[in-house]
Amino acid sequence: MTSALPKPLRFYIAAVVVGGAAFLGLMAPSADWSPNVLGEAGLFVLLLVIAGAFPMPIAPKVKTDVSTAVLFGAVLLLEPGVAAPTSAVGIATYTLLIRFWGERLRLPWYKYPFNAGATALYVGLAALLFDSLSADRALLHIAVLPTALVGYAAGTALVTGAASLQLGVNPLRFWWMGTRENGPAEVSLLAFGFLGAVAYDESRWTILALVVPVMVIYIAFSRLARLNGQLGEALEKVGSLQGRIANTAKLASIGAMSVDMAHQIKNPLAILLGRLETLEDRIAPDNRARRHLDIATHEGWRIQELVQTFTSTAQAQWVPMEISSLVDEAYGIAGLHNRKRVRTQSSYPDGECKVGGNPVLLREAFSNIFANAMDAMKDGGRIDVAATRSEEQVVVRISDSGEGIPAEMEGHLFEPFHSTKAHGSGLGLFAAKHILELHNGNVEIESKLGKGTTVTVSLPTNDSAHSKITESSEVDKLEPVLQR
């Protein structure tokens, strides 16, 4: 068996294959292999191969074929020693000829002997039961019901065992889910197989009359499954649209509040900057207090830039920026608000590596990401920055050695007002994502609890980015961005 399979599954598959081969070895030699029997066996092999050529949708994204009907007919019409090997050969043949070549060798090879072995087991068991309970192989007999039940239960049990071992799920729960979803369709195929066996027993030519109902059933199931699939996709889109509408409503409320706040900040900010600059003129450059005053003035002008960006579309110009300078400046801004011991290592591509966008907004986006990384490390740690460049985009990966993100929070990382921090507002990553999407970029987060987090930012290169925002639809997207 392939090494990619779990060891219990490999043993299980081997047991099914060996069991099916042993069953055939015991039954086939004692069967009557006269020319008439060989002809009937060949016919059922042909029917199984044809049935495998037309997969029938029975549920959205779920397909089967009408081989169940053929198998049940073989169980009722052929003696056990002929029914089991005939079904196994038919299943193996259509799997090899149709699925193998049709899917261009992509099926794992172990499925072929497993399918044949499983078919030999459950078809042989059902054939034995019918042969022992029926009176002179009469098809209209009570033995048909336990035969159908054994065939269905044995087949689904074998497949469920393999699937549950591979997926690591509860086999009973998995079997019940499959039965609830596809059981009615499977039972209908068994009933169709019984009708086919009765018709064939009366006259072998009547089997041709079944071609029409088979085609009708196939077309009906196909159309129903296709419509169900379209309906499912439509419901998913509606759910996604509802989420986007709710998110847009939050954006609108935050935007309106922030624009109003920006207007209110302008006047006191101008007074604050004026007083700070007056103090700078009165304090000597070599004074120790001058450094703190310079930082305060720099941050005041940073606020002024943000206010101007939020309130004036003229500031929304797309300009080329070197990614290393942009990221390093954002890291420095985040470090001003954090006094932890954080070691960092940066790796940038050789040569020019520029992105296009609004420098104020992109700096804020990266600053929010760095601030979150620093907050995730209680006693300090390490942040690694690695940038790569392709023809159309620049990818920046920011990895920290922090505590990681709880699994229950991963689905809410980019939602406003959701935060993993005790006193956080939950707007940092929300703002960063909004800014990056405005720049036709993307952000993804991978995290392992206790091992750290990696944030991957993708931005178009300056050559492929828009030079400026000119359309009104794009201007409307420039919603205010808030710090945490």
Side-chain angles (χ1 to χ4, degrees), residues 150 245 258 307 405 409:
V150 167
I245 291 173
S258 302
V307 170
I405 301 169
M409 289 296 298

Side-chain angles (χ1 to χ4, degrees), residues 10 35 42 64 116 166 186 188 211 214 224 247 263 284 353 355 365 393 407 411 456:
R10 281 182 274 167
T64 186
Q166 186 169 8
E186 192 78 8
S188 69
V211 173
V214 166
L224 179 61
N247 198 35
H263 283 291
C353 184
V355 296
Q393 69 175 2
T456 302

Side-chain angles (χ1 to χ4, degrees), residues 392-412:
E392 296 185 353
Q393 69 175 2
V394 175
V395 177
V396 181
R397 291 180 175 84
I398 302 171
S399 303
D400 65 65
S401 59
E403 299 177 344
I405 301 169
E408 61 271 14
M409 289 296 298
E410 290 184 2
H412 304 287

Side-chain angles (χ1 to χ4, degrees), residues 108-361:
W109 70 270
Y110 67 84
K111 288 188 177 181
Y112 310 142
F114 174 78
N115 287 344
T119 302
L121 284 175
Y122 70 78
V123 169
L125 289 174
L128 275 177
L129 181 64
F130 178 75
D131 188 60
S132 62
L133 295 179
S134 65
D136 298 326
R137 302 194 56 77
L139 298 185
L140 298 177
H141 192 274
I142 192 64
V144 171
L145 293 178
T147 301
L149 181 61
V150 167
Y152 176 76
T156 55
L158 289 169
V159 175
T160 297
S164 59
L165 285 173
Q166 186 169 8
L167 300 176
V169 298
N170 186 320
L172 291 177
R173 186 168 179 268
F174 188 84
W175 178 85
W176 170 243
M177 290 174 59
T179 300
R180 185 179 59 184
E181 186 75 19
N182 306 321
E186 192 78 8
V187 170
S188 69
L189 290 179
L190 289 174
F192 179 71
F194 172 70
L195 293 176
V198 171
Y200 185 80
D201 192 52
E202 289 295 325
S203 171
R204 297 184 179 184
W205 291 105
T206 56
I207 196 70
L208 297 176
L210 295 176
V211 173
V212 174
V214 166
M215 295 304 300
V216 171
I217 293 173
Y218 177 82
I219 295 172
F221 266 116
S222 298
R223 289 184 176 179
L224 179 61
R226 185 170 62 251
L227 290 175
N228 286 341
Q230 293 173 352
L231 178 61
E233 292 175 0
L235 290 175
E236 289 180 3
K237 290 180 180 179
V238 169
S240 175
L241 185 59
Q242 287 176 338
R244 290 173 61 185
I245 291 173
N247 198 35
T248 301
K250 291 181 180 179
L251 283 173
S253 62
I254 293 172
M257 177 184 68
S258 302
V259 170
D260 181 66
M261 186 179 296
H263 283 291
Q264 300 299 327
I265 288 174
K266 274 186 176 181
N267 290 334
L269 181 60
I271 296 172
L272 178 64
L273 286 172
R275 295 297 184 269
L276 288 174
E277 289 177 345
T278 301
L279 285 174
E280 280 186 321
D281 293 337
R282 296 182 180 181
I283 297 177
D286 57 351
N287 192 307
R288 293 180 62 183
R290 176 64 183 266
R291 177 178 174 275
H292 299 291
L293 184 60
D294 289 341
I295 293 175
T297 305
H298 180 272
E299 291 301 295
W301 281 109
R302 178 184 166 212
I303 296 174
Q304 177 73 4
E305 277 186 324
L306 288 171
V307 170
Q308 290 293 335
T309 301
F310 294 154
T311 57
S312 174
T313 57
Q315 294 293 323
Q317 298 293 325
W318 254 224
V319 297
M321 295 164 286
E322 182 66 32
I323 192 65
S324 58
S325 301
L326 178 68
V327 173
D328 289 344
E329 186 178 356
Y331 178 80
I333 292 173
L336 291 175
H337 303 281
N338 197 302
R339 299 189 179 276
K340 298 174 183 176
R341 288 189 174 184
V342 178
R343 293 176 291 113
T344 183
Q345 181 174 345
S346 302
S347 172
Y348 298 108
D350 296 332
E352 190 178 70
C353 184
K354 291 186 176 182
V355 296
N358 183 288
V360 177
L361 295 180

Side-chain angles (χ1 to χ4, degrees), residues 5-76:
L5 295 175
K7 186 176 290 186
L9 178 57
R10 281 182 274 167
F11 286 132
Y12 178 81
I13 292 173
V16 171
V17 173
V18 172
F23 198 93
L24 294 182
L26 291 173
M27 297 179 63
S30 61
D32 173 21
W33 291 99
S34 62
N36 288 339
V37 172
L38 286 174
E40 288 188 346
L43 173 63
F44 277 100
V45 169
L46 179 61
L47 289 175
L48 281 169
V49 173
I50 295 174
F54 298 97
M56 182 172 64
I58 58 174
K61 301 180 181 180
V62 178
K63 289 185 177 181
T64 186
D65 51 61
V66 293
S67 63
T68 302
V70 181
L71 292 177
F72 196 54
V75 168
L76 300 180

